Amino acid sequence: MMKRSILLILSFLLINGNYVYGEFKAKNVVIVVGDQFRHDESFGDRTHQYIPHLWNDLVPNASRCVTFYGNPSYMVLVHLAIITGSWKDLRRLKPDEIPDQHTLFEYYRKALKKDKNSCYFITSKPEFNFMTYSNHEEYGEDFGATAEFTKQPNNDEELYEKLTMFMKKNHPSLVFVILGGAHSFNKKK
């Protein structure tokens, strides 16, 4: 299973051009999840009126995943699937339980012998507080990410301030951000 996972990851990297002559081109990876963006008000809108900076400035310089589908009833677990690379335990009885599968933070830190501040997880959704490490015996909390949460749920302005302060101070090379404000914005409409 491990060999197949590594083969799939390497194949993906080679196909996407992120791996050249045995070295990664990217020195930093930042994954941003816009939780519950309405497609017709974001990427599906041809004018991109609600996301002009994202569309005009960031998307041309990044990779954008447009084919990741999930069941909206289990969105927390879709986030967890991104972080662990596994759909195992899709319908977990306790959705806020620490996962059994190692996270990308744990793989990264253990393999490259990185310190905790090299990986940073931040969200304005406090219910996602269980995603920074697994309970796997070979990994666990010792290899997890530094985590921060906003004081007020769905406050992406506060998230942005914390994110920029942490990045300036610690220069993490693997960052996972879950924005929750889009959900609040959509409920107000």
Side-chain angles (χ1 to χ4, degrees), residues 120 122 148 158-172:
Y120 183 56
I122 185 166
E148 268 195 293
E158 181 187 349
L159 180 145
Y160 177 76
E161 290 173 20
K162 287 179 179 244
L163 174 65
T164 54
M165 285 187 343
F166 188 89
M167 290 181 73
K168 285 178 183 177
K169 182 180 178 186
N170 298 293
H171 308 285

Side-chain angles (χ1 to χ4, degrees), residues 10-129:
L10 289 176
S11 299
F12 175 77
L13 294 172
L14 289 167
I15 290 168
N16 287 303
N18 291 329
Y19 196 77
V20 179
Y21 306 112
E23 294 182 27
F24 286 98
K25 286 197 264 182
K27 292 181 181 166
N28 302 302
V29 175
V30 178
I31 301 168
V32 179
V33 177
D35 197 31
Q36 299 186 8
F37 274 17
R38 287 185 177 164
H39 182 71
D40 61 338
E41 294 176 353
S42 59
F43 297 108
D45 173 18
R46 291 179 192 226
T47 67
H48 306 104
Q49 65 181 327
Y50 299 114
I51 58 165
H53 177 64
L54 177 67
W55 185 259
N56 296 323
D57 302 328
L58 299 177
V59 167
N61 296 307
S63 297
R64 183 170 57 102
C65 178
V66 294
T67 57
F68 191 89
Y69 297 100
N71 181 337
S73 302
Y74 301 103
M75 200 49 88
V76 168
L77 300 176
V78 170
H79 294 77
L80 191 57
I82 295 169
I83 289 175
T84 64
S86 174
W87 280 99
K88 184 180 172 193
D89 297 335
L90 180 64
R91 291 179 178 245
R92 296 169 355 145
L93 296 176
K94 297 178 183 175
D96 60 345
E97 199 171 75
I98 303 295
D100 295 331
Q101 302 80 20
H102 3 76
T103 66
L104 56 98
F105 309 118
E106 294 167 294
Y107 276 125
Y108 181 77
R109 287 195 51 217
K110 187 172 184 178
L112 299 177
K113 298 178 178 23
K114 296 283 191 172
D115 70 11
K116 189 166 186 155
N117 285 338
S118 67
C119 295
Y120 183 56
F121 174 91
I122 185 166
T123 181
S124 60
K125 299 184 76 111
E127 64 269 26
F128 293 160
N129 64 352

